[in-house]
mmCIF file of all heavy atoms in Angstrom:
data_model
loop_
_atom_site.group_PDB
_atom_site.id
_atom_site.type_symbol
_atom_site.label_atom_id
_atom_site.label_comp_id
_atom_site.label_asym_id
_atom_site.label_seq_id
_atom_site.Cartn_x
_atom_site.Cartn_y
_atom_site.Cartn_z
ATOM 1 N N GLY A 22 54.825 43.295 244.542
ATOM 2 C CA GLY A 22 55.185 44.690 244.679
ATOM 3 C C GLY A 22 55.754 45.335 243.435
ATOM 4 O O GLY A 22 56.044 46.538 243.432
ATOM 5 N N PHE A 23 55.920 44.558 242.373
ATOM 6 C CA PHE A 23 56.448 45.093 241.126
ATOM 7 C C PHE A 23 55.329 45.200 240.093
ATOM 8 O O PHE A 23 54.460 44.331 240.006
ATOM 9 C CB PHE A 23 57.562 44.200 240.582
ATOM 10 C CG PHE A 23 58.788 44.153 241.461
ATOM 11 C CD1 PHE A 23 58.942 43.142 242.398
ATOM 12 C CD2 PHE A 23 59.769 45.123 241.358
ATOM 13 C CE1 PHE A 23 60.067 43.091 243.217
ATOM 14 C CE2 PHE A 23 60.892 45.089 242.160
ATOM 15 C CZ PHE A 23 61.047 44.070 243.099
ATOM 16 N N THR A 24 55.381 46.248 239.304
ATOM 17 C CA THR A 24 54.392 46.453 238.248
ATOM 18 C C THR A 24 55.029 46.177 236.895
ATOM 19 O O THR A 24 56.094 46.721 236.571
ATOM 20 C CB THR A 24 53.855 47.893 238.261
ATOM 21 O OG1 THR A 24 53.229 48.154 239.518
ATOM 22 C CG2 THR A 24 52.835 48.101 237.141
ATOM 23 N N THR A 25 54.392 45.316 236.131
ATOM 24 C CA THR A 25 54.856 45.020 234.779
ATOM 25 C C THR A 25 53.787 45.443 233.787
ATOM 26 O O THR A 25 52.592 45.396 234.079
ATOM 27 C CB THR A 25 55.155 43.520 234.599
ATOM 28 O OG1 THR A 25 53.980 42.751 234.925
ATOM 29 C CG2 THR A 25 56.294 43.079 235.492
ATOM 30 N N GLU A 26 54.242 45.878 232.628
ATOM 31 C CA GLU A 26 53.329 46.344 231.593
ATOM 32 C C GLU A 26 53.350 45.390 230.409
ATOM 33 O O GLU A 26 54.363 44.747 230.133
ATOM 34 C CB GLU A 26 53.727 47.751 231.132
ATOM 35 C CG GLU A 26 53.637 48.800 232.235
ATOM 36 C CD GLU A 26 54.045 50.164 231.742
ATOM 37 O OE1 GLU A 26 54.689 50.245 230.669
ATOM 38 O OE2 GLU A 26 53.718 51.165 232.420
ATOM 39 N N GLY A 27 52.240 45.306 229.746
ATOM 40 C CA GLY A 27 52.142 44.464 228.562
ATOM 41 C C GLY A 27 51.026 44.967 227.681
ATOM 42 O O GLY A 27 50.489 46.061 227.887
ATOM 43 N N GLY A 28 50.665 44.175 226.709
ATOM 44 C CA GLY A 28 49.572 44.597 225.849
ATOM 45 C C GLY A 28 49.391 43.717 224.645
ATOM 46 O O GLY A 28 50.055 42.695 224.480
ATOM 47 N N GLY A 29 48.498 44.137 223.813
ATOM 48 C CA GLY A 29 48.170 43.396 222.612
ATOM 49 C C GLY A 29 47.150 44.175 221.810
ATOM 50 O O GLY A 29 47.122 45.408 221.840
ATOM 51 N N SER A 30 46.316 43.453 221.135
ATOM 52 C CA SER A 30 45.322 44.071 220.261
ATOM 53 C C SER A 30 43.942 43.497 220.554
ATOM 54 O O SER A 30 43.798 42.502 221.269
ATOM 55 C CB SER A 30 45.678 43.825 218.787
ATOM 56 O OG SER A 30 46.977 44.285 218.493
ATOM 57 N N GLY A 31 42.955 44.117 219.974
ATOM 58 C CA GLY A 31 41.589 43.624 220.067
ATOM 59 C C GLY A 31 40.781 44.226 218.928
ATOM 60 O O GLY A 31 41.291 45.040 218.150
ATOM 61 N N TRP A 32 39.537 43.816 218.812
ATOM 62 C CA TRP A 32 38.674 44.368 217.772
ATOM 63 C C TRP A 32 37.247 44.453 218.295
ATOM 64 O O TRP A 32 36.812 43.648 219.104
ATOM 65 C CB TRP A 32 38.744 43.557 216.488
ATOM 66 C CG TRP A 32 38.523 42.083 216.653
ATOM 67 C CD1 TRP A 32 39.422 41.151 217.099
ATOM 68 C CD2 TRP A 32 37.300 41.365 216.401
ATOM 69 N NE1 TRP A 32 38.844 39.900 217.132
ATOM 70 C CE2 TRP A 32 37.561 40.002 216.703
ATOM 71 C CE3 TRP A 32 36.052 41.738 215.930
ATOM 72 C CZ2 TRP A 32 36.581 39.007 216.562
ATOM 73 C CZ3 TRP A 32 35.071 40.754 215.787
ATOM 74 C CH2 TRP A 32 35.363 39.404 216.098
ATOM 75 N N ILE A 33 36.553 45.474 217.826
ATOM 76 C CA ILE A 33 35.199 45.770 218.295
ATOM 77 C C ILE A 33 34.220 44.856 217.567
ATOM 78 O O ILE A 33 34.119 44.881 216.340
ATOM 79 C CB ILE A 33 34.855 47.240 218.043
ATOM 80 C CG1 ILE A 33 35.863 48.143 218.772
ATOM 81 C CG2 ILE A 33 33.434 47.541 218.500
ATOM 82 C CD1 ILE A 33 35.815 49.594 218.304
ATOM 83 N N ILE A 34 33.484 44.065 218.338
ATOM 84 C CA ILE A 34 32.513 43.143 217.741
ATOM 85 C C ILE A 34 31.093 43.691 217.840
ATOM 86 O O ILE A 34 30.196 43.251 217.126
ATOM 87 C CB ILE A 34 32.589 41.748 218.401
ATOM 88 C CG1 ILE A 34 31.829 40.710 217.544
ATOM 89 C CG2 ILE A 34 32.074 41.773 219.828
ATOM 90 C CD1 ILE A 34 32.008 39.278 218.003
ATOM 91 N N ASP A 35 30.892 44.668 218.720
ATOM 92 C CA ASP A 35 29.559 45.252 218.882
ATOM 93 C C ASP A 35 29.704 46.753 219.099
ATOM 94 O O ASP A 35 30.599 47.210 219.818
ATOM 95 C CB ASP A 35 28.837 44.616 220.071
ATOM 96 C CG ASP A 35 27.383 45.049 220.159
ATOM 97 O OD1 ASP A 35 26.536 44.431 219.504
ATOM 98 O OD2 ASP A 35 27.102 46.029 220.880
ATOM 99 N N GLU A 36 28.823 47.534 218.474
ATOM 100 C CA GLU A 36 28.936 48.990 218.511
ATOM 101 C C GLU A 36 28.773 49.566 219.916
ATOM 102 O O GLU A 36 29.127 50.713 220.182
ATOM 103 C CB GLU A 36 27.910 49.626 217.582
ATOM 104 C CG GLU A 36 26.474 49.382 217.969
ATOM 105 C CD GLU A 36 25.478 50.053 217.034
ATOM 106 O OE1 GLU A 36 25.876 50.510 215.939
ATOM 107 O OE2 GLU A 36 24.291 50.136 217.413
ATOM 108 N N SER A 37 28.264 48.751 220.857
ATOM 109 C CA SER A 37 28.126 49.212 222.235
ATOM 110 C C SER A 37 29.470 49.280 222.954
ATOM 111 O O SER A 37 29.541 49.781 224.082
ATOM 112 C CB SER A 37 27.182 48.281 223.008
ATOM 113 O OG SER A 37 27.755 46.985 223.143
ATOM 114 N N GLY A 38 30.539 48.770 222.325
ATOM 115 C CA GLY A 38 31.864 48.847 222.928
ATOM 116 C C GLY A 38 32.423 47.519 223.387
ATOM 117 O O GLY A 38 33.427 47.482 224.104
ATOM 118 N N ILE A 39 31.808 46.415 222.981
ATOM 119 C CA ILE A 39 32.323 45.094 223.341
ATOM 120 C C ILE A 39 33.500 44.758 222.435
ATOM 121 O O ILE A 39 33.403 44.866 221.207
ATOM 122 C CB ILE A 39 31.231 44.015 223.233
ATOM 123 C CG1 ILE A 39 30.090 44.336 224.201
ATOM 124 C CG2 ILE A 39 31.812 42.642 223.545
ATOM 125 C CD1 ILE A 39 28.908 43.390 224.091
ATOM 126 N N ILE A 40 34.591 44.340 223.041
ATOM 127 C CA ILE A 40 35.850 44.084 222.333
ATOM 128 C C ILE A 40 36.286 42.648 222.560
ATOM 129 O O ILE A 40 36.186 42.115 223.670
ATOM 130 C CB ILE A 40 36.937 45.068 222.823
ATOM 131 C CG1 ILE A 40 36.571 46.497 222.405
ATOM 132 C CG2 ILE A 40 38.317 44.684 222.305
ATOM 133 C CD1 ILE A 40 37.418 47.560 223.063
ATOM 134 N N VAL A 41 36.804 42.027 221.510
ATOM 135 C CA VAL A 41 37.329 40.661 221.563
ATOM 136 C C VAL A 41 38.851 40.729 221.551
ATOM 137 O O VAL A 41 39.447 41.523 220.820
ATOM 138 C CB VAL A 41 36.830 39.827 220.366
ATOM 139 C CG1 VAL A 41 37.465 38.433 220.376
ATOM 140 C CG2 VAL A 41 35.308 39.721 220.379
ATOM 141 N N THR A 42 39.488 39.884 222.353
ATOM 142 C CA THR A 42 40.944 39.781 222.354
ATOM 143 C C THR A 42 41.332 38.372 222.776
ATOM 144 O O THR A 42 40.481 37.488 222.900
ATOM 145 C CB THR A 42 41.574 40.848 223.273
ATOM 146 O OG1 THR A 42 42.992 40.809 223.141
ATOM 147 C CG2 THR A 42 41.187 40.630 224.726
ATOM 148 N N ASN A 43 42.623 38.151 223.006
ATOM 149 C CA ASN A 43 43.101 36.871 223.531
ATOM 150 C C ASN A 43 43.082 36.901 225.055
ATOM 151 O O ASN A 43 43.334 37.941 225.674
ATOM 152 C CB ASN A 43 44.533 36.583 223.085
ATOM 153 C CG ASN A 43 44.636 36.135 221.650
ATOM 154 O OD1 ASN A 43 45.606 36.456 220.973
ATOM 155 N ND2 ASN A 43 43.659 35.378 221.158
ATOM 156 N N ALA A 44 42.832 35.754 225.652
ATOM 157 C CA ALA A 44 42.860 35.662 227.116
ATOM 158 C C ALA A 44 44.236 36.003 227.652
ATOM 159 O O ALA A 44 44.366 36.685 228.686
ATOM 160 C CB ALA A 44 42.442 34.261 227.558
ATOM 161 N N HIS A 45 45.288 35.557 226.959
ATOM 162 C CA HIS A 45 46.629 35.789 227.507
ATOM 163 C C HIS A 45 47.040 37.256 227.448
ATOM 164 O O HIS A 45 47.997 37.654 228.103
ATOM 165 C CB HIS A 45 47.661 34.902 226.802
ATOM 166 C CG HIS A 45 48.031 35.319 225.424
ATOM 167 N ND1 HIS A 45 47.481 34.742 224.301
ATOM 168 C CD2 HIS A 45 48.903 36.248 224.975
ATOM 169 C CE1 HIS A 45 48.010 35.302 223.231
ATOM 170 N NE2 HIS A 45 48.875 36.211 223.606
ATOM 171 N N VAL A 46 46.319 38.067 226.682
ATOM 172 C CA VAL A 46 46.608 39.503 226.645
ATOM 173 C C VAL A 46 46.169 40.183 227.941
ATOM 174 O O VAL A 46 46.843 41.093 228.444
ATOM 175 C CB VAL A 46 45.915 40.162 225.432
ATOM 176 C CG1 VAL A 46 46.008 41.681 225.504
ATOM 177 C CG2 VAL A 46 46.525 39.661 224.133
ATOM 178 N N VAL A 47 45.053 39.740 228.515
ATOM 179 C CA VAL A 47 44.472 40.433 229.672
ATOM 180 C C VAL A 47 44.485 39.619 230.960
ATOM 181 O O VAL A 47 44.177 40.156 232.028
ATOM 182 C CB VAL A 47 43.023 40.877 229.360
ATOM 183 C CG1 VAL A 47 43.008 41.911 228.254
ATOM 184 C CG2 VAL A 47 42.142 39.679 228.971
ATOM 185 N N SER A 48 44.840 38.343 230.908
ATOM 186 C CA SER A 48 44.832 37.509 232.116
ATOM 187 C C SER A 48 45.807 38.067 233.151
ATOM 188 O O SER A 48 46.944 38.396 232.837
ATOM 189 C CB SER A 48 45.214 36.067 231.777
ATOM 190 O OG SER A 48 44.211 35.427 231.041
ATOM 191 N N GLY A 49 45.355 38.147 234.387
ATOM 192 C CA GLY A 49 46.205 38.607 235.470
ATOM 193 C C GLY A 49 46.378 40.103 235.558
ATOM 194 O O GLY A 49 47.078 40.597 236.455
ATOM 195 N N ALA A 50 45.761 40.848 234.660
ATOM 196 C CA ALA A 50 45.939 42.300 234.654
ATOM 197 C C ALA A 50 45.210 42.940 235.830
ATOM 198 O O ALA A 50 44.090 42.557 236.171
ATOM 199 C CB ALA A 50 45.436 42.895 233.350
ATOM 200 N N SER A 51 45.851 43.912 236.448
ATOM 201 C CA SER A 51 45.209 44.692 237.506
ATOM 202 C C SER A 51 44.507 45.911 236.938
ATOM 203 O O SER A 51 43.580 46.453 237.547
ATOM 204 C CB SER A 51 46.236 45.109 238.551
ATOM 205 O OG SER A 51 47.295 45.835 237.953
ATOM 206 N N SER A 52 44.962 46.364 235.764
ATOM 207 C CA SER A 52 44.289 47.467 235.077
ATOM 208 C C SER A 52 44.512 47.335 233.579
ATOM 209 O O SER A 52 45.531 46.792 233.139
ATOM 210 C CB SER A 52 44.804 48.827 235.561
ATOM 211 O OG SER A 52 46.163 49.010 235.210
ATOM 212 N N ILE A 53 43.531 47.796 232.810
ATOM 213 C CA ILE A 53 43.574 47.709 231.354
ATOM 214 C C ILE A 53 43.114 49.043 230.777
ATOM 215 O O ILE A 53 42.134 49.636 231.246
ATOM 216 C CB ILE A 53 42.655 46.579 230.829
ATOM 217 C CG1 ILE A 53 43.046 45.227 231.433
ATOM 218 C CG2 ILE A 53 42.685 46.507 229.307
ATOM 219 C CD1 ILE A 53 42.054 44.116 231.111
ATOM 220 N N THR A 54 43.799 49.507 229.751
ATOM 221 C CA THR A 54 43.333 50.658 228.987
ATOM 222 C C THR A 54 43.264 50.277 227.514
ATOM 223 O O THR A 54 44.063 49.470 227.029
ATOM 224 C CB THR A 54 44.245 51.885 229.149
ATOM 225 O OG1 THR A 54 45.578 51.526 228.776
ATOM 226 C CG2 THR A 54 44.226 52.384 230.578
ATOM 227 N N VAL A 55 42.311 50.861 226.831
ATOM 228 C CA VAL A 55 42.102 50.593 225.414
ATOM 229 C C VAL A 55 42.289 51.900 224.643
ATOM 230 O O VAL A 55 41.726 52.940 225.025
ATOM 231 C CB VAL A 55 40.690 50.029 225.162
ATOM 232 C CG1 VAL A 55 40.341 50.063 223.675
ATOM 233 C CG2 VAL A 55 40.591 48.601 225.688
ATOM 234 N N THR A 56 43.084 51.850 223.591
ATOM 235 C CA THR A 56 43.252 53.003 222.705
ATOM 236 C C THR A 56 42.493 52.746 221.415
ATOM 237 O O THR A 56 42.800 51.795 220.685
ATOM 238 C CB THR A 56 44.735 53.263 222.395
ATOM 239 O OG1 THR A 56 45.446 53.478 223.618
ATOM 240 C CG2 THR A 56 44.885 54.484 221.507
ATOM 241 N N LEU A 57 41.504 53.565 221.150
ATOM 242 C CA LEU A 57 40.709 53.422 219.937
ATOM 243 C C LEU A 57 41.476 53.963 218.734
ATOM 244 O O LEU A 57 42.471 54.686 218.873
ATOM 245 C CB LEU A 57 39.384 54.163 220.075
ATOM 246 C CG LEU A 57 38.473 53.736 221.235
ATOM 247 C CD1 LEU A 57 37.226 54.606 221.259
ATOM 248 C CD2 LEU A 57 38.115 52.262 221.129
ATOM 249 N N ASP A 58 41.005 53.637 217.555
ATOM 250 C CA ASP A 58 41.678 54.080 216.325
ATOM 251 C C ASP A 58 41.684 55.598 216.201
ATOM 252 O O ASP A 58 42.595 56.165 215.593
ATOM 253 C CB ASP A 58 40.983 53.452 215.113
ATOM 254 C CG ASP A 58 41.705 53.769 213.812
ATOM 255 O OD1 ASP A 58 42.878 53.384 213.673
ATOM 256 O OD2 ASP A 58 41.091 54.417 212.941
ATOM 257 N N ASP A 59 40.704 56.255 216.806
ATOM 258 C CA ASP A 59 40.657 57.716 216.720
ATOM 259 C C ASP A 59 41.532 58.390 217.774
ATOM 260 O O ASP A 59 41.544 59.622 217.894
ATOM 261 C CB ASP A 59 39.216 58.229 216.826
ATOM 262 C CG ASP A 59 38.541 57.854 218.143
ATOM 263 O OD1 ASP A 59 39.251 57.462 219.098
ATOM 264 O OD2 ASP A 59 37.307 57.960 218.221
ATOM 265 N N GLY A 60 42.275 57.598 218.563
ATOM 266 C CA GLY A 60 43.210 58.142 219.530
ATOM 267 C C GLY A 60 42.694 58.233 220.946
ATOM 268 O O GLY A 60 43.477 58.489 221.877
#
């Protein structure tokens, strides 16, 4: 019943929008948002 927030970084490996990151950054997440360099 509690919501916790976290995050990390990633990098674009393919121009179609595929992003690489660490598993521990996104494991267990119920929702994820990505902020691009252009905001």
Side-chain angles (χ1 to χ4, degrees):
F23 295 95
T24 300
T25 57
E26 297 180 343
S30 304
W32 52 281
I33 301 166
I34 194 172
D35 188 86
E36 64 179 13
S37 66
I39 299 175
I40 293 169
V41 176
T42 186
N43 284 146
H45 74 261
V46 171
V47 295
S48 290
S51 57
S52 66
I53 302 172
T54 56
V55 166
T56 302
L57 301 178
D58 185 61
D59 60 16

